[in-house]
Amino acid sequence: MAEIGKDIFRAKSILEQGDLVGIPTETVYGLAGNALNPDAVTKIFAVKNRPNFDPLILHTHALEKVYDFTIEIPDPLLKLAQRYWPGPLTLLLPKKELVPDLVTSGLDQVAVRVPNHPLTRELLSVLDFPLAAPSANPFGYISPTKASHVNDQLGNKIPYILDGGSCHVGLESTIVGMEGDKVMIYRLGGLDVSAIEKVVGKVQVMAHSSSNPKSPGMLKSHYAPQKPVILGDLEELVKDYLKKGVPFAVLSYCREFPGLPQSFQIQLSLQKDMSEAAKKLFDAMRTLDSLDVSVILAELLPDEGLGRAINDRLRRASAGEEGKY
Ligand code: TXA
Ligand code: MG
């Protein structure tokens, strides 16, 4: 298992040697390596078991630093950066040659973000290179929101995890780029669409696609637990699965099921607070995934604000499971 601690200088020295460190961000934990060292980047793909056509996000601590890696920041994206960095926003920008092709999977745009977590910002500010960091989970599984999640799945493959507690946002960053002069959202995430539209006007949200995605975070089946997730009307699903005699767990927005054991149901937010629901979502999925049940029954949230990103993750967690059980 990995060593877990808060020592940024220990993390720094491991990263300088070309090895990897689990890092906290406000969205989810990242699996970080020196983005300018192709050996370190190769390790990231290997540890995650991630296909190398799926590019990585580059993390740095200040907007000024981003100009080292990009040819230009188009005006609308610059406005977003000025308003929301540090924060749960990733921008797709034309890359400079300095950024290894491995990081961008050969694409001519690089994804960049300035994360908002005190430990990681401090770490980034003492490093003289940016960090490439995908979410610190095996490819296709749920993103980690606690150091222990990283340790459970990748602890035997990395030396150190920087422990920054539970992630405040709990959903991955929103990925934004341009097509011509249009601002596009490639992945719904922790910064909601209305916050973006407040700064740049109406934007288009790309529907996810399972073939040849521009951003594999757009893959239909992704962010998935091992147990099948069945989405629908929870009252009906619960009745149905009780009748079938198939053991199940329940993931609801706020509804409680008094007839079911407490430990087999999780409410994302009894107060119907979307931010609380987002923060709890991945940890709840992991907890239910570890129970001795055959399926996880879940419901969508109201499709507004952060609910859109939460529903996106729930749909992808359930993709392909219809009719399986
Ligand atoms: O919140 C986050 O974004 C977290 C934390 C650790 O920063 N990171 C994260 O990374 O979620 P990852 O690798 O799990 O998801 C990054 C997404 C992938 O879907 C990838 O395809 C897309 O960003 N992406 C990265 N570089 C890209 C590029 N050059 N063009 C298009 N999509 C890109
Ligand atoms: Mg990921």
Side-chain angles (χ1 to χ4, degrees):
M1 286 290 122
E3 187 188 333
I4 300 183
K6 295 184 189 300
D7 184 350
I8 61 164
F9 290 97
R10 173 111 171 83
K12 176 176 189 267
S13 96
I14 293 168
L15 291 163
E16 283 170 349
Q17 285 158 30
D19 218 330
L20 310 184
V21 171
I23 58 163
T25 83
E26 80 283 29
T27 59
V28 300
Y29 273 75
L31 174 65
N34 177 351
L36 305 184
N37 174 347
D39 291 339
V41 177
T42 301
K43 267 189 209 165
I44 294 176
F45 284 98
V47 164
K48 257 189 85 93
N49 198 14
R50 175 171 174 129
N52 55 16
F53 62 75
D54 190 357
L56 306 176
I57 298 176
L58 209 131
H59 296 67
T60 186
H61 66 284
L63 174 55
E64 302 81 72
K65 287 304 263 179
V66 175
Y67 288 98
D68 294 351
F69 318 118
T70 182
I71 297 164
E72 60 150 339
I73 307 182
D75 197 49
L77 301 188
L78 181 60
K79 287 202 178 101
L80 288 173
Q82 286 166 334
R83 176 74 184 267
Y84 294 117
W85 276 349
L89 168 73
T90 292
L91 298 179
L92 296 182
L93 301 169
K95 93 173 187 75
K96 279 192 178 161
E97 227 166 274
L98 172 74
V99 180
D101 285 334
L102 261 178
V103 171
T104 62
S105 303
L107 298 173
D108 52 14
Q109 296 202 91
V110 58
V112 187
R113 119 175 165 90
V114 177
N116 189 14
H117 189 289
L119 268 186
T120 291
R121 291 189 75 193
E122 204 180 332
L123 172 65
L124 285 165
S125 71
V126 297
L127 292 173
D128 52 15
F129 48 81
L131 291 175
S135 52
N137 50 279
F139 184 68
Y141 195 70
I142 308 161
S143 295
T145 53
K146 292 178 178 169
S148 62
H149 295 164
V150 183
N151 205 23
D152 288 346
Q153 292 190 301
L154 304 179
N156 58 351
K157 296 181 177 168
I158 57 174
Y160 195 67
I161 301 167
L162 204 51
D163 186 357
S166 291
C167 300
H168 283 295
V169 175
L171 290 175
E172 300 85 352
S173 59
T174 303
I175 302 181
V176 182
M178 309 272 301
E179 305 263 323
D181 56 6
K182 285 210 183 75
V183 177
M184 311 286 285
I185 294 186
Y186 293 94
R187 178 176 71 181
L188 293 165
L191 184 64
D192 77 43
V193 178
S194 66
I196 290 168
E197 291 187 330
K198 220 181 280 168
V199 177
V200 297
K202 201 90 194 117
V203 298
Q204 200 175 321
V205 179
M206 298 286 279
H208 54 67
S209 137
S210 52
S211 60
N212 193 24
K214 174 143 188 191
S215 176
M218 292 165 72
L219 286 170
K220 192 160 179 244
S221 172
H222 210 75
Y223 309 107
Q226 264 139 21
K227 303 271 162 65
V229 174
I230 314 286
L231 282 176
D233 179 307
L234 273 180
E235 302 275 352
E236 280 174 25
L237 284 174
V238 164
K239 257 191 244 156
D240 198 29
Y241 278 78
L242 281 172
K243 209 186 292 166
K244 282 190 200 168
V246 174
F248 62 86
V250 171
L251 181 61
S252 84
Y253 182 24
C254 54
R255 214 176 324 186
E256 294 174 274
F257 290 83
L260 302 176
Q262 279 304 318
S263 55
F264 284 73
Q265 52 178 316
I266 296 181
Q267 289 78 33
L268 290 176
S269 174
L270 290 171
Q271 278 78 41
K272 300 193 183 185
D273 171 350
M274 295 278 192
S275 307
E276 185 191 11
K279 191 173 168 178
K280 278 173 78 173
L281 178 70
F282 290 152
D283 187 51
M285 281 194 193
R286 278 175 188 262
T287 302
L288 298 181
D289 203 21
S290 71
L291 297 177
D292 192 14
V293 295
S294 303
V295 294
I296 299 168
L297 307 181
E299 65 181 350
L300 293 174
L301 275 61
D303 214 34
E304 58 200 37
L306 279 181
R308 286 181 74 174
I310 294 171
N311 288 345
D312 169 81
R313 303 303 188 269
L314 285 167
R315 288 198 184 96
R316 288 189 224 199
S318 82
E321 299 300 345
E322 296 87 357
K324 225 176 176 178
Y325 279 80

